Amino acid sequence: MPAATATHSATSAEHRITLLGIDIDNVTMAEAIDEVMARLEAGLRTRLLFVNADCVNISFRDAAYREILRAGDLVLADGLGMWLAGKIRGATVRDNVNGTDLFPRLCGRLAGTPFRVFLLGARPGVAEDVRTWIARHHPEVVVCGVRDGYFPLEQSPQVAATIREARTDVLLVAMGAPRQEAWIDGNLEATGATVAMGVGGLFDFYSGQIPRAPRWMRDWGLEWVYRFAREPRRMWKRYWVGNFVFMWRVICHRPLKDRPAEASST
Protein backbone atom coordinates (compact mmCIF):
# COMPACT_ATOMS: atom_id res chain seq x y z
CA MET A 1 0.00 0.00 0.00
CA PRO A 2 1.20 3.59 -0.43
CA ALA A 3 3.62 4.35 2.38
CA ALA A 4 2.14 7.76 3.09
CA THR A 5 -1.31 6.28 3.51
CA ALA A 6 0.01 3.60 5.84
CA THR A 7 1.55 6.20 8.13
CA HIS A 8 -1.60 8.30 8.19
CA SER A 9 -4.03 5.46 8.85
CA ALA A 10 -2.07 3.48 11.44
CA THR A 11 -3.35 5.44 14.41
CA SER A 12 -7.07 5.09 13.64
CA ALA A 13 -7.59 1.60 12.20
CA GLU A 14 -8.90 -1.45 14.03
CA HIS A 15 -6.26 -3.97 15.05
CA ARG A 16 -8.38 -6.87 13.79
CA ILE A 17 -10.50 -6.69 10.65
CA THR A 18 -12.31 -9.12 8.37
CA LEU A 19 -11.92 -8.98 4.58
CA LEU A 20 -13.82 -11.39 2.31
CA GLY A 21 -14.42 -13.72 5.24
CA ILE A 22 -10.79 -13.84 6.40
CA ASP A 23 -9.77 -12.31 9.73
CA ILE A 24 -6.66 -10.13 9.42
CA ASP A 25 -4.31 -9.04 12.21
CA ASN A 26 -4.23 -5.41 11.16
CA VAL A 27 -0.74 -4.46 12.34
CA THR A 28 2.19 -2.48 10.99
CA MET A 29 5.41 -4.11 9.86
CA ALA A 30 7.15 -3.13 13.11
CA GLU A 31 4.28 -4.50 15.19
CA ALA A 32 4.29 -7.77 13.25
CA ILE A 33 7.99 -8.29 14.00
CA ASP A 34 7.44 -7.39 17.66
CA GLU A 35 4.68 -10.00 17.78
CA VAL A 36 6.88 -12.68 16.20
CA MET A 37 9.64 -11.99 18.72
CA ALA A 38 7.18 -12.06 21.63
CA ARG A 39 5.81 -15.41 20.48
CA LEU A 40 9.32 -16.83 20.14
CA GLU A 41 10.23 -15.70 23.63
CA ALA A 42 7.01 -17.17 25.03
CA GLY A 43 7.43 -20.43 23.09
CA LEU A 44 3.98 -19.91 21.58
CA ARG A 45 3.60 -22.11 18.51
CA THR A 46 2.45 -19.87 15.66
CA ARG A 47 1.34 -20.29 12.05
CA LEU A 48 2.08 -16.94 10.43
CA LEU A 49 0.23 -16.40 7.15
CA PHE A 50 0.63 -13.64 4.57
CA VAL A 51 -2.59 -13.03 2.61
CA ASN A 52 -2.56 -11.20 -0.71
CA ALA A 53 -5.08 -10.93 -3.55
CA ASP A 54 -3.91 -14.18 -5.14
CA CYS A 55 -4.27 -16.01 -1.80
CA VAL A 56 -7.85 -14.76 -1.50
CA ASN A 57 -8.64 -15.97 -5.02
CA ILE A 58 -7.17 -19.39 -4.27
CA SER A 59 -9.19 -19.58 -1.05
CA PHE A 60 -12.43 -19.23 -3.03
CA ARG A 61 -11.47 -22.30 -5.07
CA ASP A 62 -9.88 -24.34 -2.28
CA ALA A 63 -12.04 -24.81 0.80
CA ALA A 64 -9.27 -26.52 2.79
CA TYR A 65 -6.90 -23.62 2.17
CA ARG A 66 -9.58 -21.13 3.19
CA GLU A 67 -10.02 -22.93 6.50
CA ILE A 68 -6.26 -22.80 7.06
CA LEU A 69 -6.31 -19.03 6.51
CA ARG A 70 -9.22 -18.67 8.92
CA ALA A 71 -7.41 -20.71 11.56
CA GLY A 72 -4.05 -18.92 11.29
CA ASP A 73 -2.46 -17.64 14.48
CA LEU A 74 -1.09 -14.46 12.90
CA VAL A 75 -2.63 -13.44 9.56
CA LEU A 76 -1.15 -10.42 7.79
CA ALA A 77 -2.34 -8.26 4.88
CA ASP A 78 0.12 -8.41 1.99
CA GLY A 79 0.03 -6.01 -0.93
CA LEU A 80 -1.89 -3.21 -2.59
CA GLY A 81 -4.88 -5.43 -3.34
CA MET A 82 -5.64 -5.94 0.34
CA TRP A 83 -5.34 -2.21 1.00
CA LEU A 84 -7.75 -1.46 -1.86
CA ALA A 85 -10.13 -4.12 -0.55
CA GLY A 86 -10.08 -2.42 2.82
CA LYS A 87 -10.79 0.99 1.28
CA ILE A 88 -13.76 -0.39 -0.65
CA ARG A 89 -15.11 -2.37 2.30
CA GLY A 90 -14.64 0.40 4.86
CA ALA A 91 -11.91 -1.39 6.85
CA THR A 92 -8.60 0.49 6.83
CA VAL A 93 -5.55 -1.74 6.28
CA ARG A 94 -2.71 -0.23 8.26
CA ASP A 95 0.33 -1.51 6.38
CA ASN A 96 1.62 -3.76 3.61
CA VAL A 97 3.11 -6.53 5.74
CA ASN A 98 4.67 -8.83 3.15
CA GLY A 99 7.18 -11.57 3.81
CA THR A 100 9.83 -10.27 1.42
CA ASP A 101 10.16 -6.97 3.29
CA LEU A 102 9.63 -8.53 6.72
CA PHE A 103 12.44 -11.05 6.24
CA PRO A 104 15.51 -8.75 6.49
CA ARG A 105 13.95 -6.82 9.37
CA LEU A 106 13.27 -10.07 11.21
CA CYS A 107 16.84 -11.20 10.59
CA GLY A 108 18.02 -7.97 12.19
CA ARG A 109 15.95 -8.73 15.30
CA LEU A 110 17.06 -12.36 15.44
CA ALA A 111 20.76 -11.44 15.27
CA GLY A 112 22.47 -12.17 18.57
CA THR A 113 19.51 -14.14 19.96
CA PRO A 114 19.47 -17.92 20.55
CA PHE A 115 16.64 -18.43 18.05
CA ARG A 116 17.54 -20.70 15.15
CA VAL A 117 16.25 -20.47 11.56
CA PHE A 118 15.55 -23.29 9.10
CA LEU A 119 15.01 -22.58 5.38
CA LEU A 120 12.72 -25.06 3.59
CA GLY A 121 11.66 -24.82 -0.03
CA ALA A 122 12.42 -23.60 -3.55
CA ARG A 123 14.58 -25.41 -6.09
CA PRO A 124 17.73 -27.30 -5.08
CA GLY A 125 20.53 -24.89 -4.21
CA VAL A 126 18.33 -21.81 -3.73
CA ALA A 127 17.91 -22.12 0.04
CA GLU A 128 21.71 -22.49 0.36
CA ASP A 129 22.10 -19.17 -1.46
CA VAL A 130 19.65 -17.55 0.98
CA ARG A 131 21.77 -18.89 3.85
CA THR A 132 24.77 -17.22 2.20
CA TRP A 133 22.82 -13.94 2.03
CA ILE A 134 22.00 -14.18 5.72
CA ALA A 135 25.62 -14.94 6.62
CA ARG A 136 26.77 -11.89 4.65
CA HIS A 137 24.18 -9.41 5.92
CA HIS A 138 23.30 -10.79 9.37
CA PRO A 139 26.21 -13.02 10.44
CA GLU A 140 24.90 -13.38 13.99
CA VAL A 141 21.71 -15.14 12.84
CA VAL A 142 21.92 -18.89 13.36
CA VAL A 143 20.74 -20.83 10.30
CA CYS A 144 20.43 -24.37 11.59
CA GLY A 145 19.49 -26.05 8.32
CA VAL A 146 18.29 -25.81 4.72
CA ARG A 147 16.28 -28.14 2.51
CA ASP A 148 14.82 -27.69 -0.97
CA GLY A 149 11.08 -28.11 -1.48
CA TYR A 150 11.29 -30.85 -4.10
CA PHE A 151 10.23 -33.89 -2.14
CA PRO A 152 7.08 -36.06 -2.32
CA LEU A 153 4.51 -35.44 0.39
CA GLU A 154 5.02 -38.93 1.79
CA GLN A 155 8.52 -37.82 2.84
CA SER A 156 7.10 -35.02 5.00
CA PRO A 157 7.57 -36.92 8.28
CA GLN A 158 11.29 -37.36 7.55
CA VAL A 159 11.65 -33.71 6.56
CA ALA A 160 9.84 -32.63 9.73
CA ALA A 161 12.12 -34.87 11.80
CA THR A 162 15.18 -33.23 10.24
CA ILE A 163 13.83 -29.80 11.16
CA ARG A 164 13.16 -30.96 14.73
CA GLU A 165 16.65 -32.45 15.06
CA ALA A 166 18.10 -29.08 14.00
CA ARG A 167 16.36 -27.49 17.04
CA THR A 168 14.52 -25.01 14.82
CA ASP A 169 12.74 -21.99 16.26
CA VAL A 170 11.79 -20.11 13.08
CA LEU A 171 10.78 -22.11 10.00
CA LEU A 172 10.48 -20.41 6.61
CA VAL A 173 8.63 -22.49 4.01
CA ALA A 174 8.92 -21.39 0.36
CA MET A 175 6.67 -23.70 -1.63
CA GLY A 176 4.04 -21.29 -2.92
CA ALA A 177 0.40 -21.02 -1.85
CA PRO A 178 -1.49 -23.11 -0.95
CA ARG A 179 1.06 -25.94 -0.66
CA GLN A 180 3.28 -24.17 1.87
CA GLU A 181 0.40 -23.29 4.20
CA ALA A 182 -1.00 -26.83 3.97
CA TRP A 183 2.44 -28.25 4.75
CA ILE A 184 2.85 -26.01 7.78
CA ASP A 185 -0.65 -26.81 9.00
CA GLY A 186 -0.02 -30.54 8.78
CA ASN A 187 3.57 -30.65 10.04
CA LEU A 188 4.32 -27.73 12.35
CA GLU A 189 3.96 -29.68 15.58
CA ALA A 190 6.20 -32.46 14.25
CA THR A 191 8.93 -29.96 13.32
CA GLY A 192 9.12 -28.60 16.85
CA ALA A 193 9.45 -25.06 15.45
CA THR A 194 7.83 -22.21 17.35
CA VAL A 195 7.01 -19.88 14.44
CA ALA A 196 6.46 -21.08 10.87
CA MET A 197 5.60 -18.90 7.91
CA GLY A 198 4.92 -19.50 4.23
CA VAL A 199 7.06 -17.09 2.24
CA GLY A 200 6.27 -17.86 -1.40
CA GLY A 201 9.00 -16.60 -3.75
CA LEU A 202 11.12 -14.98 -1.03
CA PHE A 203 14.02 -17.41 -1.49
CA ASP A 204 14.22 -16.55 -5.18
CA PHE A 205 14.63 -12.87 -4.32
CA TYR A 206 17.28 -13.25 -1.62
CA SER A 207 19.22 -15.90 -3.53
CA GLY A 208 19.55 -13.49 -6.44
CA GLN A 209 17.46 -15.65 -8.78
CA ILE A 210 14.90 -12.87 -9.33
CA PRO A 211 15.62 -9.13 -8.88
CA ARG A 212 13.26 -7.06 -6.75
CA ALA A 213 11.41 -3.98 -7.94
CA PRO A 214 12.88 -0.55 -7.15
CA ARG A 215 12.11 0.72 -3.65
CA TRP A 216 9.65 3.37 -4.86
CA MET A 217 7.55 0.72 -6.63
CA ARG A 218 7.52 -1.47 -3.52
CA ASP A 219 6.54 1.48 -1.33
CA TRP A 220 3.55 2.16 -3.56
CA GLY A 221 2.49 -1.47 -3.81
CA LEU A 222 3.49 -1.74 -7.47
CA GLU A 223 5.96 -4.62 -7.28
CA TRP A 224 3.46 -6.76 -9.18
CA VAL A 225 3.81 -4.40 -12.18
CA TYR A 226 7.58 -4.90 -12.14
CA ARG A 227 7.23 -8.68 -11.90
CA PHE A 228 4.72 -8.75 -14.73
CA ALA A 229 7.01 -6.62 -16.92
CA ARG A 230 9.85 -9.10 -16.38
CA GLU A 231 7.79 -12.30 -16.80
CA PRO A 232 4.62 -11.40 -18.75
CA ARG A 233 3.98 -14.89 -20.11
CA ARG A 234 4.16 -16.49 -16.65
CA MET A 235 2.46 -13.73 -14.65
CA TRP A 236 -0.31 -12.40 -16.92
CA LYS A 237 -3.00 -14.74 -15.63
CA ARG A 238 -2.22 -14.16 -11.95
CA TYR A 239 -1.98 -10.38 -12.18
CA TRP A 240 -4.42 -9.33 -14.91
CA VAL A 241 -7.08 -12.00 -14.76
CA GLY A 242 -6.50 -12.62 -11.03
CA ASN A 243 -6.61 -8.97 -10.03
CA PHE A 244 -9.84 -8.42 -11.98
CA VAL A 245 -11.45 -11.44 -10.31
CA PHE A 246 -10.24 -10.29 -6.90
CA MET A 247 -11.70 -6.79 -7.29
CA TRP A 248 -14.98 -8.26 -8.53
CA ARG A 249 -15.10 -10.38 -5.39
CA VAL A 250 -14.29 -7.36 -3.20
CA ILE A 251 -17.13 -5.33 -4.71
CA CYS A 252 -19.70 -8.14 -4.78
CA HIS A 253 -18.93 -10.00 -1.56
CA ARG A 254 -21.53 -9.90 1.22
CA PRO A 255 -21.98 -8.35 3.70
CA LEU A 256 -21.58 -4.98 2.00
CA LYS A 257 -19.24 -3.70 4.70
CA ASP A 258 -16.68 -5.93 6.38
CA ARG A 259 -16.70 -5.71 10.12
CA PRO A 260 -13.91 -5.25 12.65
CA ALA A 261 -13.30 -8.65 14.24
CA GLU A 262 -14.52 -8.98 17.78
CA ALA A 263 -11.23 -9.94 19.38
CA SER A 264 -7.57 -9.13 18.75
CA SER A 265 -4.79 -11.71 18.91
CA THR A 266 -2.02 -9.14 18.94
Side-chain angles (χ1 to χ4, degrees), residues 111-173:
T113 72
F115 301 121
R116 299 158 64 87
V117 178
F118 195 104
L119 307 173
L120 172 66
R123 297 180 301 280
V126 174
E128 285 85 350
D129 290 340
V130 179
R131 175 161 57 183
T132 299
W133 184 94
I134 295 173
R136 183 166 65 249
H137 293 88
H138 300 280
E140 293 184 322
V141 173
V142 179
V143 179
C144 60
V146 299
R147 172 68 160 84
D148 68 73
Y150 283 71
F151 57 88
L153 285 179
E154 54 266 27
Q155 289 184 11
S156 292
Q158 295 95 315
V159 173
T162 298
I163 296 167
R164 176 180 286 275
E165 290 164 5
R167 295 183 289 118
T168 301
D169 299 294
V170 180
L171 173 62
L172 274 63
V173 182

Side-chain angles (χ1 to χ4, degrees), residues 1 17 19 51 92 107 115 130 136 183 188 215 221 223 258:
M1 63 183 291
I17 60 175
L19 290 174
V51 178
T92 301
C107 285
F115 301 121
V130 179
R136 183 166 65 249
W183 198 91
L188 178 55
R215 169 61 65 180
E223 187 161 17
D258 286 296

